[in-house]
Amino acid sequence: MARKKKIENEIQNPLADNVHIQGAGTVKDEGITQTLKSNYMPYAMSVILSRAIPEIDGFKPSHRKLLYTMYNMGLLQGGTVKSANIVGRTMQLNPHGDASIYETMIRLARGNESLLYPFVESKGNFGKAYSKNMMYAASRYTEAKLAPISKELFEDINKDTVDFVDNYDNTMKEPTLLPVTFPSILCNVTTGIAVGMASSIVSFNLGEICDTTVALIKNPDHDIAETLPAPDFVGGGYVVYDKDELDRIYKTGRGSVKVRAKYTYDKAYNCIDVTEIPPTTTCEAIIDKIVELVKTNKIKELSDLRDETDLKGLRITLDLKRGVDPDALMTKLYKMTPLEDSFACNFNVLIKGYPRVLGVRDILLEWIDFRLECIRRRTQFTLGKKQEKLHLLQGLEKILLDIDKAIKIIRNTEAESDVVPNLMIGFGIDKVQAEYVAEIKLRHLNREYILKRTKDIEDLIKDIEELQGILDSKNKQKKIIIKELNEVKDKYSGERKSPILYEVDEFDTAVEAEIPDYPVTLFITKEGYLNKIRTANLRMSGEQKVKEGDEVDKTFECSNKDELLVFTDKGQVYKAKVDDFPDGKASQLGAYVPVKLEMEPDEKVVYICVIHEYVGYMLFVFENGKVAKVDITAYQTKTNRKKLLKAYSLKSPLACCEYIEQDGEFVLCSSSGRMLILNTGALTPKTSKDTIGVSVMTQKKNHKVESMHPYVEGEFEKAWRFRTKNLPAAGALPGAGDNAAQISF
């Protein structure tokens, strides 16, 4: 009964136990603007300044606290440790719970594939950024350590390069920024939502960023588009090039970048494998959208859809119905699904405590100023240490003049407190020097020890002069930054993961009509005329008609569904389908290729080849003796693009080119009369179309490579004279027997 009565009293008067709290239970009449100002604004400022927006070193506070904890744990070297251990230690700096700290580590880890340049090496299941279903394991099961590139985050951090502040309970110190040796803020994707503002920073290739920063240091007016072509993403995919949009991002920090998934077609199983997707989506979102389109009959070309993502990586498999054109289907899917998506850029960065939206140029200039301050502070710290050491050694040097006198002073001094003053008086040294001398062990009071210590004085004086010169010269400080950037680039940079697609046409959701498949014969003349004749009608045709002074240069037997690659003297390649040209007769001249492909008025065709499947290589032989071997897949496009820029290098005049399906031997001929047999298997294929190639045939002054043709057994009497084990080589002059055996082409 007593308990029941007490509960009833508490219900009737819930504040009865709180009467001792002043003002408890009273209602305060306050305007909403005052409440927002006193309660909400401090919270908003905390989120903006201490949580969601990255600073110039590229990190949010949660990232910085975690990485600094791992650095203090010695995880730059040695093996991995349990993630739970790291999370627990990080709570000394970041008291926001183990779950949020572990999620921060997940995103920084290599295994999660969120960052282009991850700062944490992972062991165990860290999930995947491209999949919602592939969740990470608990922290007690996984292990981690700092990645090698993290060394660049903490270089000279203990040399007063950055400020340190107390942690939340004033028990230890933590850095306000990390003295990063490269612009990490633009090398990894960073997103965050604050109060009333957000940040979304795209990632760029480390090598390109370092080159751009070096160029800006040397010339603040440098056009960054020359060294920074487009963003780069850890998940790959194609970056759709849009010059105006990229210029806007570089200038203002706002805009969007289109990223398109990468796929391959497996002819044997008649399926499409999507292996790389945009960073803004997941494989589950893509699959759900495709399933929705199939259910609404907007996509009818699929027979099955599977998520085959495993430990080897991402793979979405689309099984096609018979007769479906995979490229045409992907054209529809790019338009209707997240297989093509846009990364919205909003380069909001904290600069000296203030959020600012900056373009790439301005961010790099701010980073350069930040790094200059780090170099200055590091140099000042080192200079101070060396000056202190020099000062002590100069005092020790004076003792060297009369060691016995120093011993006598110490021995005859009655009070310990008088030792330092007596040494100061006896040798004319200051208190710091006297303290140093007084602390020397008795065994070290000999000439040999003192001479060893004082011989460093000259080196210290030189070092101090050099350090003072760095402090007095901003150019020397900039040279140090350039040297460090080049070292970072050499150590950690790699090839782009996201190839760039230039001049992408607008997509049409309508699937192209099926191209009829039948054998044809192409006649291509030297002046650029192409005549297509059905092979079945060829026997009934007469001799191919040509213009006066013209002649047939090449003849191809192919399919009407094949493609043509037409290379021009302006370093461009025009793509067309054989079906684009009408069926003709031998009595007709055919179509004039430059007009048919809408080439530029002064553009000339230098080579035409027929592609059945994108297998093999393009060989480009330049007059300077270099040969470029480009994988033919570099010219393969997923859309019906008619022209590709930078089809080959224009740095040296092109002597000739050739499409080969497999490696073989070719004869290079120089204007000097020398010839060289080249096995193309010795050349490494490149994916960059405009590669300058490698030196193959050395040329004497005023001579050049003129031609190349396939080698035929028996062409040379002593073929071994024209072969070489090492490239480049000069080749050999044909002998009398070679000329007699030479086959004409």
Side-chain angles (χ1 to χ4, degrees):
M1 291 296 293
R3 183 183 179 189
K4 182 178 179 181
K5 190 173 182 179
K6 181 180 180 182
I7 294 174
E8 289 175 351
N9 290 335
E10 289 178 352
I11 294 174
Q12 294 172 0
N13 188 12
L15 299 177
D17 292 338
N18 297 327
V19 293
H20 63 282
I21 301 176
Q22 186 176 1
T26 61
V27 178
K28 187 178 179 182
D29 187 10
E30 184 179 78
I32 187 170
T33 55
Q34 181 60 35
T35 302
L36 289 174
K37 187 180 293 185
S38 59
N39 295 342
Y40 190 69
M41 288 305 294
Y43 161 75
M45 290 300 294
S46 176
V47 173
I48 292 171
L49 300 179
S50 304
R51 190 172 300 178
I53 308 297
E55 297 199 52
I56 194 63
D57 62 348
F59 299 103
K60 301 176 187 178
S62 59
H63 301 147
R64 197 178 298 112
K65 294 172 190 289
L66 172 68
L67 292 171
Y68 184 64
T69 298
M70 296 180 71
Y71 172 74
N72 282 339
M73 293 174 67
L75 294 181
L76 265 175
Q77 286 115 12
T80 57
V81 301
K82 285 291 183 182
S83 300
N85 186 5
I86 299 172
V87 170
R89 293 281 291 273
T90 305
M91 291 184 72
Q92 293 178 314
L93 298 178
N94 189 17
H96 291 291
D98 60 322
S100 61
I101 295 174
Y102 187 46
E103 287 174 1
T104 299
M105 181 195 290
I106 291 295
R107 189 176 178 278
L108 292 174
R110 185 178 302 279
N112 188 249
E113 298 185 33
S114 290
L115 303 184
L116 188 58
Y117 300 97
F119 297 109
V120 174
E121 295 287 358
S122 56
K123 182 180 179 181
N125 178 18
F126 274 69
K128 295 296 179 185
Y130 53 73
S131 174
K132 293 179 182 177
N133 294 338
M134 298 181 68
M135 293 298 293
Y136 50 84
S139 60
R140 60 184 177 275
Y141 299 120
T142 60
E143 299 179 12
K145 61 174 288 189
L146 287 175
I149 196 173
S150 295
K151 180 177 181 292
E152 306 301 326
L153 309 181
F154 302 102
E155 195 72 33
D156 301 319
I157 194 172
N158 295 322
K159 293 185 178 180
D160 193 37
T161 48
V162 292
D163 292 331
F164 279 74
V165 295
D166 292 324
N167 68 332
Y168 68 96
D169 62 356
N170 298 327
T171 58
M172 58 189 299
K173 297 284 187 179
E174 61 176 307
T176 56
L177 294 171
L178 297 182
V180 292
T181 58
F182 65 97
S184 60
I185 189 168
L186 292 174
C187 293
N188 283 317
V189 169
T190 305
T191 58
I193 300 175
V195 177
M197 63 180 63
S199 178
S200 180
I201 301 175
V202 76
S203 58
F204 292 89
N205 180 270
L206 176 60
E208 295 171 359
I209 279 289
C210 289
D211 289 340
T212 304
T213 309
V214 170
L216 279 176
I217 292 174
K218 295 179 179 178
N219 177 21
D221 297 325
H222 167 71
D223 182 7
I224 60 177
E226 294 180 2
T227 50
L228 198 65
D232 196 13
F233 296 96
V234 61
Y238 295 103
V239 173
V240 180
Y241 185 78
D242 185 339
K243 187 177 187 305
D244 293 337
E245 193 70 8
L246 286 174
D247 287 345
R248 182 184 169 212
I249 294 171
Y250 291 168
K251 186 176 181 180
T252 67
R254 296 184 186 274
S256 62
V257 180
K258 282 187 179 180
V259 186
R260 181 182 297 177
K262 187 181 291 187
Y263 72 93
T264 57
Y265 173 65
D266 190 333
K267 188 176 181 181
Y269 293 95
N270 191 32
C271 66
I272 293 173
D273 290 325
V274 178
T275 54
E276 298 176 9
I277 62 176
T280 50
T281 188
T282 62
C283 56
E284 291 85 5
I286 292 172
I287 292 172
D288 290 345
K289 185 61 178 178
I290 295 176
V291 169
E292 178 188 334
L293 293 173
V294 171
K295 288 181 178 179
T296 56
N297 289 326
K298 293 181 180 179
I299 296 292
K300 302 178 181 179
E301 296 89 345
L302 297 180
S303 61
D304 194 13
L305 171 64
R306 298 184 304 279
D307 184 359
E308 296 185 352
T309 302
D310 55 16
L311 293 176
K312 295 180 181 178
L314 169 69
R315 185 165 70 178
I316 302 172
T317 300
L318 310 175
D319 288 338
L320 309 183
K321 293 180 180 178
R322 184 177 299 178
V324 173
D325 183 350
D327 293 334
L329 173 61
M330 287 302 295
T331 298
K332 291 178 66 175
L333 294 177
Y334 281 142
K335 186 70 175 180
M336 304 169 72
T337 71
L339 284 170
E340 179 177 287
D341 208 356
S342 295
F343 186 101
C345 298
N346 180 18
F347 291 2
N348 196 353
V349 185
L350 285 177
I351 305 294
K352 299 175 182 177
Y354 293 93
R356 295 173 58 190
V357 178
L358 303 174
V360 172
R361 173 190 298 277
D362 292 331
I363 288 178
L364 290 177
L365 291 176
E366 288 288 348
W367 182 87
I368 292 169
D369 289 341
F370 161 72
R371 190 59 191 160
L372 282 171
E373 179 65 11
C374 290
I375 297 295
R376 188 196 65 77
R377 292 180 60 164
R378 181 182 71 186
T379 306
Q380 185 66 59
F381 177 86
T382 307
L383 176 63
K385 291 293 184 182
K386 288 186 177 292
Q387 287 175 335
E388 289 177 10
K389 184 176 180 181
L390 176 63
H391 184 63
L392 296 176
L393 293 182
Q394 286 174 338
L396 189 61
E397 188 177 35
K398 292 182 179 180
I399 300 297
L400 180 63
L401 298 174
D402 196 344
I403 298 175
D404 293 336
K405 180 181 177 181
I407 296 173
K408 184 177 179 181
I409 290 173
I410 296 172
R411 185 175 57 198
N412 294 335
T413 302
E414 296 182 2
E416 182 182 353
S417 59
D418 294 333
V419 171
V420 170
N422 290 343
L423 286 173
M424 292 170 62
I425 296 170
F427 290 94
I429 57 180
D430 61 26
K431 185 177 180 181
V432 175
Q433 293 171 321
E435 289 278 5
Y436 176 67
V437 172
E439 294 296 329
I440 296 177
K441 293 181 180 179
L442 185 62
R443 62 183 294 180
H444 292 155
L445 283 174
N446 59 79
R447 179 175 291 273
E448 181 184 4
Y449 172 80
I450 297 175
L451 283 173
K452 284 182 180 179
R453 296 303 308 273
T454 55
K455 71 177 182 179
D456 295 332
I457 290 178
E458 291 185 6
D459 293 337
L460 282 172
I461 293 174
K462 290 180 181 178
D463 291 345
I464 289 171
E465 290 177 354
E466 183 178 344
L467 291 170
Q468 190 62 51
I470 293 173
L471 281 177
D472 296 338
S473 173
K474 203 167 186 178
N475 285 333
K476 289 184 178 180
Q477 297 171 21
K478 289 180 177 179
K479 287 180 181 179
I480 293 174
I481 297 177
I482 291 173
K483 179 183 176 183
E484 291 176 347
L485 285 170
N486 289 329
E487 289 174 353
V488 169
K489 175 187 172 183
D490 294 339
K491 287 181 185 177
Y492 308 109
S493 179
E495 296 292 329
R496 290 184 60 89
K497 293 190 175 182
S498 298
I500 303 172
L501 289 180
Y502 294 93
E503 297 184 2
V504 177
D505 297 333
E506 290 295 325
F507 300 117
D508 184 1
T509 55
V511 180
E512 295 180 355
E514 182 68 20
I515 298 175
D517 187 7
Y518 54 86
V520 297
T521 301
L522 303 181
F523 296 91
I524 301 174
T525 70
K526 287 188 176 180
E527 288 191 10
Y529 284 86
L530 185 150
N531 196 12
K532 182 181 76 172
I533 303 176
R534 288 178 180 247
T535 304
N537 300 336
L538 195 60
R539 295 177 183 176
M540 297 179 289
S541 303
E543 186 177 352
Q544 173 62 41
K545 181 182 178 181
V546 295
K547 286 180 64 177
E548 185 177 354
D550 196 8
E551 61 180 315
V552 176
D553 184 39
K554 289 186 178 181
T555 303
F556 295 103
E557 292 185 3
C558 58
S559 167
N560 187 57
K561 297 183 70 172
D562 291 345
E563 291 188 12
L564 293 174
L565 294 183
V566 181
F567 294 86
T568 71
D569 59 349
K570 291 187 179 288
Q572 301 179 147
V573 60
Y574 290 78
K575 299 185 65 176
K577 296 185 182 298
V578 175
D579 183 65
D580 294 340
F581 293 81
D583 292 344
K585 301 178 182 178
S587 58
Q588 298 173 332
L589 292 177
Y592 188 51
V593 174
V595 173
K596 181 70 176 178
L597 300 184
E598 300 178 355
M599 293 183 182
E600 298 173 12
D602 56 342
E603 201 169 11
K604 295 180 181 179
V605 176
V606 296
Y607 183 75
I608 299 178
C609 63
V610 178
I611 306 294
H612 178 63
E613 294 181 350
Y614 279 84
V615 176
Y617 313 98
M618 280 298 305
L619 293 180
F620 297 97
V621 182
F622 301 99
E623 291 182 359
N624 61 3
K626 290 187 176 183
V627 178
K629 179 181 177 183
V630 181
D631 197 311
I632 196 65
T633 57
Y635 302 95
Q636 186 175 13
T637 56
K638 307 303 180 185
T639 57
N640 295 325
R641 294 165 61 198
K642 294 183 178 180
K643 182 170 70 172
L644 301 180
L645 305 178
K646 298 182 179 180
Y648 61 88
S649 174
L650 293 176
K651 292 188 176 179
S652 176
L654 183 69
C656 58
C657 54
E658 186 78 21
Y659 166 60
I660 58 172
E661 293 187 354
Q662 58 186 7
D663 288 314
E665 289 188 325
F666 289 81
V667 180
L668 272 65
C669 303
S670 172
S671 60
S672 64
R674 291 182 175 271
M675 297 183 179
L676 177 69
I677 297 177
L678 167 67
N679 190 318
T680 60
L683 303 179
T684 303
K686 303 291 184 180
T687 56
S688 300
K689 300 188 294 294
D690 59 344
T691 177
I692 62 174
V694 296
S695 295
V696 171
M697 191 175 188
T698 56
Q699 300 296 309
K700 293 184 178 180
K701 189 175 181 180
N702 298 327
H703 286 286
K704 62 184 180 181
V705 175
E706 290 184 329
S707 63
M708 178 187 72
H709 61 264
Y711 172 71
V712 178
E713 196 66 36
E715 180 176 350
F716 299 109
E717 186 178 48
K718 298 179 180 179
W720 55 268
R721 295 179 54 243
F722 301 88
R723 291 190 173 96
T724 180
K725 293 182 179 180
N726 300 313
L727 294 175
L733 292 169
D738 295 323
N739 290 331
Q742 187 172 353
I743 300 172
S744 61
F745 291 88

